[in-house]
Amino acid sequence: MTATEFWPLLAAPLLNGIALLLALGFRRNRAVIVLAILTFSSLALAGVVAPEHGERGTEAARMFAPWLLLAAAAMPERRLLARRNLVLMLLLAIAVWLTLAAPAHVWPGLRGALPFGVLPWSAGAVAATLTFLAAALCLLRWVLHGAPMEAGLSIVLALVGFALMPVLRLDAVRYAFALAGAGALTAILYASYRMAFVDALAGLPNRRALDEALARQSGDYALAMVDVDHFKQFNDTHGHDAGDRVLHSVAQQLRGTRGAGAFRYGGEEFCLLFTGPRMHGAKQACEDVRERIEQMRVRVRSAPSKPRRGQALKRNDPGEVKVTISIGLAERNADLRAAADVLKAADAALYRAKAKGRNRVVSR
C-alpha cells in the first residue's frame, strides 16, 4: 500500500486508536468510550469491518455511532469499569457483532430503523444531528466547568457530525474522521499538560511550572513571594468554599501584574516572576497589585452557623469581604545565583513584611 493509498484509508483508525491508548493511559474514561466508538467506526469506513458486505461498514457507522456517541457525551466522568460504561461498551460490542454477523435479510430492517427511522430524513442527516447534539453537550459542560477535555471532545464530535452528513463523499468522511482523531490526540495531550502544570483552583501555573521556569533562567530576574494575609482565620470564619473564592480572585489579580508571570506556589502563597528588563519595575508592579487587591471586594457566603439544639442548620447571607496581601521581593544578583537562594531570600522578605504589619511590599 502506497502512502497515497494509506492516508485516506487507515489514517483515521490509526489516529483514533493512538488517541484511545493515550486516553487509557491518562484515565480520561469518557474519552476512552468516545474514541473506542470512533476507532471501530473508522475501521468500518475503511472497509476493515465486514468487507464482504460492501457498504455495510459505512451504513453501520451512521446507524450505531451517533446514539453511542450521544450516550457517552451525556454521561458524567466515572471510573472505566463503572456500570454505565460497561453497558455502553456492551452496546458497542453488539453493534460490531451486528455489523459483522447480521444476516442479509435482517440488515435492511436494521438500516430502516436506525439511527431514527421514524423521521422523514436521510440516515446521514439524522446521524449528523445526533452527533452535533453530543458535541453541544460537551461544549455546555466546558462552559459550565471549564474542563479543557470537554472543549476538545466537542470539537472532535463536531468533526464527526460533519463527517456523517449525507452530502460528503466517502473519502471526505475518512479525512474528517482522521481530523477527529488528530483533534482527540491534541485535546488529551493538552488536558494532561494542564493537569500537570496548571493549578485547577487558581487557574495559574503551579509550583512545578515555576521550578521549570526558574531552571530556564540564565540572566538576572526578580522573584516575589505573595501571601494572603490572615487566610487561616478567614477559612475558620467563612469556610473553605469562601476561601477558595478568595484565592481565585487574588490569582486573577496577580495574573494581571505588569511584566510578571504569576504562579500558585501552594496553599495561600503565590509567586511573581519578573525577567529581563521588566525586573527593574518589579517593586512598583508589586505595589500596584497589592493596592488593587486591597481595594478589591470579594462576594462570599460564610459557612453555616452552628445551630443550637433543635434548630435547623442556617447558612449566613452572602456578603463582601476585604482581602490584603503581603509581598517579599528578591533579585538574582552576584550574591544570589541559585534559584533556591533567590526563593529563600524572597521568603525571608515576605516574613519581614508580615512582621511589620502585613499588607505591604518588602524587598531584600
Side-chain angles (χ1 to χ4, degrees), residues 49-327:
V49 176
E52 70 278 6
H53 293 294
E55 296 295 319
R56 181 178 287 196
T58 304
E59 293 168 352
R62 287 196 168 103
M63 290 162 55
F64 300 116
W67 283 113
L68 294 171
L69 291 171
L70 182 59
M75 291 193 308
E77 185 75 23
R78 291 288 186 269
R79 62 187 179 89
L80 184 60
L81 298 182
R83 184 178 302 174
R84 295 176 185 177
N85 289 342
L86 290 175
V87 169
L88 201 50
M89 287 188 278
L90 176 62
L91 292 174
L92 174 60
I94 292 172
V96 173
W97 175 75
L98 287 173
T99 305
L100 292 171
H105 67 279
V106 173
W107 189 256
L110 290 172
R111 186 176 56 207
L114 295 170
F116 201 44
V118 298
L119 291 177
W121 300 349
S122 67
V126 176
T129 301
L130 291 173
T131 310
F132 282 132
L133 180 58
L137 287 176
C138 291
L139 184 62
L140 178 63
R141 199 177 264 123
W142 172 67
V143 170
L144 294 177
H145 304 293
M149 194 67 227
E150 298 297 337
L153 285 176
S154 70
I155 294 172
V156 168
L157 292 171
L159 285 168
V160 174
F162 175 75
L164 295 177
M165 294 174 67
V167 296
L168 294 186
R169 295 185 299 109
L170 183 57
D171 283 350
V173 172
R174 290 169 177 162
Y175 274 115
F177 267 80
L179 284 174
L185 274 171
T186 304
I188 293 167
L189 290 173
Y190 178 69
S192 301
Y193 159 79
R194 283 189 61 88
M195 183 171 64
F197 291 100
V198 178
D199 182 80
L201 171 63
L204 296 177
N206 58 20
R207 184 170 178 176
R208 179 183 298 177
L210 173 66
D211 290 340
E212 294 205 358
L214 290 174
R216 290 193 297 267
Q217 301 304 317
S218 57
D220 291 341
Y221 57 84
L223 186 67
M225 288 291 294
V226 182
D227 184 83
V228 180
D229 294 331
H230 303 294
F231 188 71
K232 184 180 184 303
Q233 293 91 323
F234 182 92
N235 263 348
D236 292 341
T237 302
H238 298 281
H240 291 284
D241 288 343
D244 288 348
R245 184 179 290 273
V246 164
L247 290 177
H248 180 77
S249 299
V250 169
Q252 298 316 300
Q253 292 294 330
L254 293 174
R255 185 197 297 274
T257 304
R258 185 178 68 255
F263 300 83
R264 172 92 183 272
Y265 191 73
E268 68 271 25
E269 289 189 319
F270 299 85
C271 277
L272 295 172
L273 177 61
F274 300 84
T275 58
R278 295 174 295 185
M279 64 173 286
H280 301 299
K283 186 165 186 180
Q284 186 58 52
C286 288
E287 284 287 359
D288 292 343
V289 73
R290 183 197 63 77
E291 290 176 3
R292 287 202 308 272
I293 291 174
E294 184 182 19
Q295 295 165 8
M296 177 182 72
R297 297 296 181 269
V298 182
R299 190 169 179 81
V300 300
R301 185 185 293 273
S302 298
S305 302
K306 188 176 180 180
R308 296 179 181 178
R309 182 176 297 180
Q311 289 183 332
L313 190 69
K314 182 179 179 181
R315 179 169 285 276
N316 296 330
D317 293 332
E320 292 185 342
V321 296
K322 178 181 177 180
V323 182
T324 62
I325 60 171
S326 299
I327 302 177

Side-chain angles (χ1 to χ4, degrees), residues 5-17:
E5 294 170 328
F6 170 82
W7 171 249
L9 195 61
L10 292 179
L14 182 62
L15 288 170
N16 281 287

Side-chain angles (χ1 to χ4, degrees), residues 346-361:
D347 201 42
L350 172 61
Y351 275 99
R352 290 200 301 275
K354 291 181 180 180
K356 290 181 178 181
R358 293 182 168 84
N359 190 24
R360 65 192 64 231
V361 179

